[in-house]
Amino acid sequence: MVSNKNAAVTTLQNILKWIFLGFFLFISLYPLLWLFLASFKGTNLDLQTNPFGLPEIWHFENYADAMATAKLGSLFFHSILVAGFAVVVNLAVTSMGAFILSRVEFRGREVIYTMVTAGVLIPIISFMVPYFTVIRVLGLYDRLLALIIVYSAINIPVSIFLLTNFMGGIPQELEEAAIIDGCRFHQRFTKVILPLTQSGLATAGTLCFIYAWNEFIMALLLTSSESSRTIQLGIRFFTSQFQTDYTSMYAAIVLSIIPSVIIYTLFNEKIVSSMTAGAVKG
Amino acid sequence: MVRENNTGKIILFLLPMMVLYILFFLFPLLYNLSLSYQEWNGITKPSFVGWENYKNLLKDEIFLKSVKNNLLWALVNGFIQVPLAAGVAFILARQPRFWKSLRVIYFLPKVISGVAIAMMWRAIYNPSYGVLNAFLGIFGNEPVNWLGQIGTALPAVMFQEVVYIGYFMIIILASVMSIPVSLYEAAQIDGANVFQQEMNITIPMVKTTLITAITLAMAYGMRHFEATFLMTNGGPAHSTTVMGLLLYNKMAAFNYGEATATGTILIIMGTLVIIVMRRLFRDNDNASVSQ
């Protein structure tokens, strides 16, 4: 009798557990799936008559329309350019900084490290006016270079945190051996520490890339013309361009999501582990 | 750590990073603060007005509504989203079937851009063509203009953020997985059921992480902006407005004084949330088992 009751409780627990997990699985995937299917449907009317099912005819031309109307090709190119160079600039300055902060003893080291990493606590949206002013004064308004610099700067706290911890874990003996072998200061950085930091650089770089690829508000604020428009701004402007043609707009959104999904598929271990490191220590 | 006499090299290596940090973190902080005491339209010379901008904000109903909504966002993020994430993390930590795939899938929406997610949910909520009304229509419900009416707009925007638990789930899961299995084995021998084990082992052991997660979630609630901007733009009738949106609108109206005053209050309130949470739970932390 008792064991029967226990078995019933266990079964009930199991059912509840899978309903709970199933709900979040559904909410994580179904909206994306629905959007994907909707992006192949013929007209807005199809969305009403056939909201859940597969498209009766797969309208690939929606994608061609989206590419043409919104000039998606050049927006993609701008975003890749911005995100790519933001990663390069960010990693260049933070790897040098982290090298000093993790492996060289000097007064003020702790202060600089704490001050820089505390930057994550600041809500960047509160800097709309200052960033606008700085970019104006630098003469970079409405240029992709503005976004490259801003994104690489915003990611300094996260990258410094990850790289300083990573470099701090490299055994001291390696560097001492290099000094005995006649390695000069900058060579200790380029020949000893940097090669051993590749995995940390990949993590920090991935996070910076995702941030830069996805960023919206500063792009909206710091650029105005089509020649410096990123993909995220593009999707936002589609709303007005595709007022009557929802399915093509959905195609455009799907296209903008694909690179994120590819990067996540390739690097999900790195991304997930960096999230953990940041939160547990911070 | 190597002692270094060469100050020049240290400075040289730190310089590029510090230049960017000063330009995009320190200077903005001070510039925000100083502009918030001035009246400036971006063209004519700014003039010092003391607390005028702050006084104007406190009299501004939209500002007060924004603060209220941000606080609501903070509470919903901290005390609905994080507990949901913790529930999922606790279950996944027991490594049920597919747990590794589920972990990856739950985090997926977090790497997709906020713009794409917001636009997707706008499509879902669309009164004529959205899948939500299509689904409810099966049961004979009339179409609802989810984002267009006061009662449903704020919950609708909040829903699409709260259900994406991936980030906090990952943080909490890592913490739960680091608890020694022997503790659970001992509890099992003593006859503790799963629920009792979670209450008496898991929650006390990951308390610090839970508090960190709640604090972070609340801080994110205070700075919430993007989804609201894209889905409702604060409407209808300012019912979904938040401080970030007000800042944006003040700036767009060339009212730089009140825009930066809003920004300064946003920074202060965001920091206060973190300090208050730390204070509230610090004593407990010291008393808890060494972690």
Side-chain angles (χ1 to χ4, degrees):
Chain A
M1 195 58 200
V2 172
S3 69
N4 256 349
K5 199 181 153 198
N6 278 346
V9 169
T10 315
T11 315
L12 184 71
Q13 262 174 7
N14 254 320
I15 293 171
L16 287 177
K17 179 176 88 183
W18 285 105
I19 288 176
F20 193 61
L21 292 180
F23 169 77
F24 287 103
L25 181 66
F26 175 81
I27 211 76
S28 300
L29 289 184
Y30 182 71
L32 292 168
L33 179 68
W34 174 77
L35 188 77
F36 180 75
L37 293 177
S39 71
F40 283 103
K41 287 177 182 172
T43 58
N44 292 348
L45 198 65
D46 285 4
L47 295 172
Q48 284 178 319
T49 53
N50 174 23
F52 308 111
L54 299 175
E56 275 153 35
I57 305 159
W58 291 73
H59 291 267
F60 287 93
E61 70 269 20
N62 292 344
Y63 282 79
D65 284 352
M67 293 292 287
T69 312
K71 303 199 181 70
L72 275 188
S74 71
L75 299 189
F76 261 96
F77 180 66
H78 293 159
S79 276
I80 288 173
L81 216 60
V82 166
F85 278 106
V87 170
V88 172
V89 174
N90 176 270
L91 292 185
V93 303
T94 56
S95 60
M96 284 164 67
F99 169 65
I100 300 291
L101 293 177
S102 66
R103 311 198 63 86
V104 181
E105 185 80 57
F106 66 99
R107 251 164 39 131
R109 192 173 63 92
E110 285 290 319
V111 177
I112 291 180
Y113 176 76
T114 310
M115 186 181 75
V116 171
T117 49
V120 292
L121 300 176
I122 289 172
I124 294 296
I125 54 160
S126 62
F127 285 165
M128 283 187 223
V129 176
Y131 281 11
F132 186 73
T133 310
V134 169
I135 291 304
R136 267 271 153 100
V137 168
L138 291 176
L140 295 175
Y141 180 74
D142 198 25
R143 289 173 59 184
L144 291 175
L145 184 57
L147 300 183
I148 291 171
I149 292 179
V150 167
Y151 296 163
S152 60
I154 291 175
N155 270 279
I156 284 177
V158 175
S159 294
I160 280 290
F161 172 79
L162 289 170
L163 293 178
T164 305
N165 281 311
F166 198 94
M167 289 180 182
I170 299 172
Q172 203 62 56
E173 289 76 19
L174 285 173
E175 235 178 314
E176 279 158 11
I179 294 171
I180 293 166
D181 288 347
C183 235
R184 301 180 58 190
F185 187 77
H186 69 270
Q187 287 172 324
R188 271 162 41 206
F189 173 62
T190 54
K191 297 230 163 100
V192 182
I193 299 300
L194 262 195
L196 293 170
T197 315
Q198 275 174 20
S199 159
L201 291 172
T203 305
T206 308
L207 290 185
C208 184
F209 187 92
I210 292 174
Y211 180 86
W213 181 270
N214 289 343
E215 209 282 336
F216 166 71
I217 184 62
M218 290 305 161
L220 179 67
L221 214 63
L222 301 177
T223 65
S224 58
S225 68
E226 216 167 74
S227 61
S228 52
R229 188 171 292 168
T230 61
I231 185 78
Q232 305 304 335
L233 288 181
I235 318 177
R236 150 102 168 139
F237 286 118
F238 298 157
T239 334
S240 41
Q241 288 167 342
F242 286 111
Q243 219 133 61
T244 48
D245 182 9
Y246 280 105
T247 53
S248 293
M249 183 176 118
Y250 299 166
I253 300 176
V254 169
L255 283 173
S256 82
I257 292 176
I258 289 173
S260 312
V261 175
I262 292 175
I263 296 245
Y264 185 56
T265 314
L266 294 175
F267 295 107
N268 65 65
E269 278 303 322
K270 279 216 171 313
I271 295 167
V272 164
S273 63
S274 66
M275 293 292 144
T276 324
V280 172
K281 300 252 176 96
Chain B
M1 202 157 286
V2 187
R3 279 231 160 250
E4 212 54 56
N5 300 322
N6 207 328
T7 322
K9 280 170 188 160
I10 294 176
I11 293 173
L12 196 70
F13 268 67
L14 284 174
L15 195 65
M17 174 187 85
M18 288 314 289
V19 167
L20 283 179
Y21 185 81
I22 290 167
L23 264 182
F24 292 99
F25 284 91
L26 286 187
F27 169 75
L29 211 57
L30 299 174
Y31 186 71
N32 236 344
L33 193 65
S34 96
L35 257 194
S36 72
Y37 294 105
Q38 302 177 47
E39 194 179 302
W40 191 37
N41 57 15
I43 301 157
T44 55
K45 237 170 112 68
S47 60
F48 182 82
V49 292
W51 293 97
E52 197 60 32
N53 293 320
Y54 290 94
K55 281 183 192 156
N56 286 344
L57 283 179
L58 288 176
K59 278 184 285 187
D60 185 347
E61 261 175 54
I62 301 170
F63 174 77
L64 297 176
K65 182 79 192 166
S66 303
V67 173
K68 218 174 98 187
N69 280 342
N70 274 119
L71 289 172
L72 194 62
W73 271 100
L75 290 175
V76 167
N77 278 358
F79 298 99
I80 296 180
Q81 188 180 32
V82 173
L84 288 174
V88 172
F90 291 178
I91 295 174
L92 290 190
R94 289 174 178 267
Q95 311 192 352
R97 270 214 283 177
F98 315 120
W99 74 277
K100 280 193 170 164
S101 315
L102 287 175
R103 188 183 62 161
V104 171
I105 293 170
Y106 291 154
F107 193 73
L108 171 69
K110 286 285 160 195
V111 294
I112 295 171
S113 78
V115 183
I117 295 281
M119 289 309 188
M120 178 179 84
W121 280 92
R122 253 172 73 157
I124 290 168
Y125 288 137
N126 186 296
S128 322
Y129 309 111
V131 70
L132 182 59
N133 278 342
F135 174 74
L136 294 172
I138 299 174
F139 309 102
N141 293 302
E142 289 295 308
V144 177
N145 188 0
W146 296 99
L147 296 171
Q149 59 187 38
I150 286 180
T152 54
L154 189 58
V157 183
M158 283 181 167
F159 180 82
Q160 61 85 39
E161 179 145 320
V162 165
V163 291
Y164 293 138
I165 51 161
Y167 178 59
F168 297 115
M169 181 273 296
I170 295 276
I171 296 173
I172 298 166
L173 180 60
S175 182
V176 178
M177 301 274 283
S178 68
I179 302 172
V181 183
S182 59
L183 287 178
Y184 293 99
E185 286 165 356
Q188 228 154 11
I189 292 167
D190 291 342
N193 65 33
V194 172
F195 185 71
Q196 288 166 330
Q197 289 171 27
E198 299 300 341
M199 291 304 287
N200 297 313
I201 301 172
T202 315
I203 291 182
M205 289 296 283
V206 301
K207 215 181 91 188
T208 318
T209 309
L210 286 178
I211 292 164
T212 306
I214 292 171
T215 310
L216 274 177
M218 293 182 78
Y220 292 153
M222 295 308 295
R223 58 179 85 161
H224 171 85
F225 168 72
E226 199 172 275
T228 294
F229 179 66
L230 292 162
M231 292 174 75
T232 65
N233 199 12
H238 301 292
S239 61
T240 58
T241 184
V242 283
M243 282 188 277
L245 188 68
L246 188 75
L247 197 173
Y248 180 84
N249 288 335
K250 297 267 184 207
M251 189 183 167
F254 301 106
N255 189 345
Y256 289 102
E258 285 182 27
T260 47
T262 309
T264 304
I265 294 175
L266 179 55
I267 294 170
I268 291 171
M269 290 190 68
T271 316
L272 266 182
V273 165
I274 295 167
I275 292 172
V276 167
M277 288 297 289
R278 287 249 158 138
R279 275 281 159 86
L280 272 180
F281 292 102
R282 194 179 47 188
D283 298 337
N284 294 335
D285 276 358
N286 292 340
S288 73
V289 209
S290 61
Q291 281 192 15

